[in-house]
Amino acid sequence: VDSKIVEVYDMTEDKILYEKNSKNITSIASLTKIATTITAIENIDNIDEKVTITKEILDTLNPETSMAGLKSGDIVSYRDLLYAILVPSGADAAHALAILSSGNMENFVEKMNTMANKVELLNTHFSNVTGLEDSKHYSSADDIRKLLVYALKNPLFKQIYTTKIYTLSNGLEVKSTLYKYNISPNDINKILGSKTGYLESLGYCLSSLSNVSGHEILTINIGAKKVENDYYNIIDNV
């Protein structure tokens, strides 16, 4: 297994099957958006409420982060933003959802940390909604596994997490970040649900849900390398 940090967990039997540095505190890149999404689901009363994307929201973004493709003036629902966060890993959707639902980024991040405390993620702290590197933003593979087990109990989260292509109400089609990797359609189908991540200082990450012999298996890979067109966060998983 190439990834520096790994945990493989059998949800069906509630058993860790394999771990490698899984309790090490680390940056987690866009795996953060798992927390962003479940926090939003738990705190927004009407996820079908329509909201407007503004230039001011888009101006808060780091241009190097992955985007869903939202434009100033777009009218979408909170439900659309949830899909646009997890499926294509849209930082634009994450910022829009946080600011529009909570007034500002700080209020929303506070809710993320409240959720982390509730789930007893003891080695986790959030300082942003996308996973940008920050000394106050960290977790572990073991905590991400706990977070994912918790989040997947929510039917809406599980539906979004296992979606690979989705069309927002404004007509924008978004696709799973899996399609950006050197991965065969057969291997994509093996992965029922996923969230990828990348930071230059960290490498490639993947959280995934698969079904193996009737068992629901969660795999968390953090800090994998890329060699030519081979991404080892994917190779380690499939």
Side-chain angles (χ1 to χ4, degrees), residues 38-118:
I38 188 61
T39 297
I41 290 171
E42 292 183 341
N43 284 278
I44 295 174
D45 292 332
N46 179 12
I47 64 164
D48 290 310
E49 179 184 346
K50 291 295 182 69
V51 292
T52 301
I53 307 302
T54 66
K55 181 179 181 299
E56 289 73 22
I57 291 171
L58 299 179
D59 284 346
T60 65
L61 292 162
N62 181 326
E64 295 182 1
T65 55
S66 60
M67 305 290 180
L70 296 169
K71 305 296 183 186
S72 178
D74 280 354
I75 298 174
V76 294
S77 66
Y78 282 125
R79 184 187 299 271
D80 291 329
L81 293 177
L82 292 168
Y83 276 93
I85 292 169
L86 270 195
V87 178
S89 197
D92 46 357
H95 277 228
L97 187 145
I99 292 168
L100 292 168
S101 69
S102 297
N104 59 55
M105 200 73 66
E106 292 75 16
N107 289 343
F108 190 88
V109 171
E110 184 177 347
K111 293 175 183 177
M112 291 173 67
N113 285 312
T114 298
M115 179 277 302
N117 289 334
K118 179 177 70 173

Side-chain angles (χ1 to χ4, degrees), residues 4-230:
K4 296 174 183 176
I5 297 172
V6 182
E7 186 163 296
V8 182
Y9 174 75
D10 185 334
M11 269 208 308
T12 305
E13 293 194 357
D14 185 22
K15 182 168 68 175
I16 294 173
L17 303 179
Y18 175 82
E19 71 87 22
K20 176 181 176 182
N21 302 321
S22 66
K23 291 183 170 60
N24 287 15
I25 291 175
T26 177
S27 299
I28 55 168
S30 285
L31 299 184
T32 299
K33 291 166 188 163
I34 297 168
T36 306
T37 303
I38 188 61
T39 297
I41 290 171
E42 292 183 341
N43 284 278
I44 295 174
D45 292 332
N46 179 12
I47 64 164
D48 290 310
E49 179 184 346
K50 291 295 182 69
V51 292
T52 301
I53 307 302
T54 66
K55 181 179 181 299
E56 289 73 22
I57 291 171
L58 299 179
D59 284 346
T60 65
L61 292 162
N62 181 326
E64 295 182 1
T65 55
S66 60
M67 305 290 180
L70 296 169
K71 305 296 183 186
S72 178
D74 280 354
I75 298 174
V76 294
S77 66
Y78 282 125
R79 184 187 299 271
D80 291 329
L81 293 177
L82 292 168
Y83 276 93
I85 292 169
L86 270 195
V87 178
S89 197
D92 46 357
H95 277 228
L97 187 145
I99 292 168
L100 292 168
S101 69
S102 297
N104 59 55
M105 200 73 66
E106 292 75 16
N107 289 343
F108 190 88
V109 171
E110 184 177 347
K111 293 175 183 177
M112 291 173 67
N113 285 312
T114 298
M115 179 277 302
N117 289 334
K118 179 177 70 173
V119 185
E120 297 184 349
L121 307 182
L122 303 180
N123 292 316
T124 297
H125 187 270
F126 300 111
S127 66
N128 62 76
V129 298
T130 60
L132 287 176
E133 193 161 14
D134 185 298
S135 62
K136 296 181 180 179
H137 191 95
Y138 53 83
S139 188
S140 68
D142 192 57
D143 272 8
I144 294 297
R145 183 264 304 172
K146 292 176 185 176
L147 171 63
L148 199 47
V149 168
Y150 172 78
L152 286 168
K153 292 176 183 176
N154 182 286
L156 177 58
F157 179 93
K158 187 170 186 178
Q159 181 181 358
I160 299 169
Y161 190 77
T162 55
T163 294
K164 294 190 172 79
I165 300 176
Y166 182 79
T167 302
L168 279 62
S169 58
N170 68 343
L172 176 66
E173 183 183 80
V174 294
K175 292 185 177 182
S176 168
T177 51
L178 289 177
Y179 291 102
K180 297 180 180 179
Y181 292 82
N182 181 32
I183 177 172
S184 70
N186 185 50
D187 283 341
I188 286 178
N189 291 335
K190 287 180 184 176
I191 300 174
L192 302 180
S194 67
K195 180 70 203 75
T196 59
Y198 172 76
L199 284 172
E200 185 175 355
S201 62
L202 179 66
Y204 293 85
C205 309
L206 177 69
S207 74
S208 72
L209 170 66
S210 304
N211 187 296
V212 181
S213 301
H215 290 238
E216 287 192 308
I217 303 296
L218 298 182
T219 305
I220 313 297
N221 299 333
I222 298 174
K225 66 189 176 188
K226 173 191 174 188
V227 179
E228 295 182 349
N229 289 322
D230 292 329

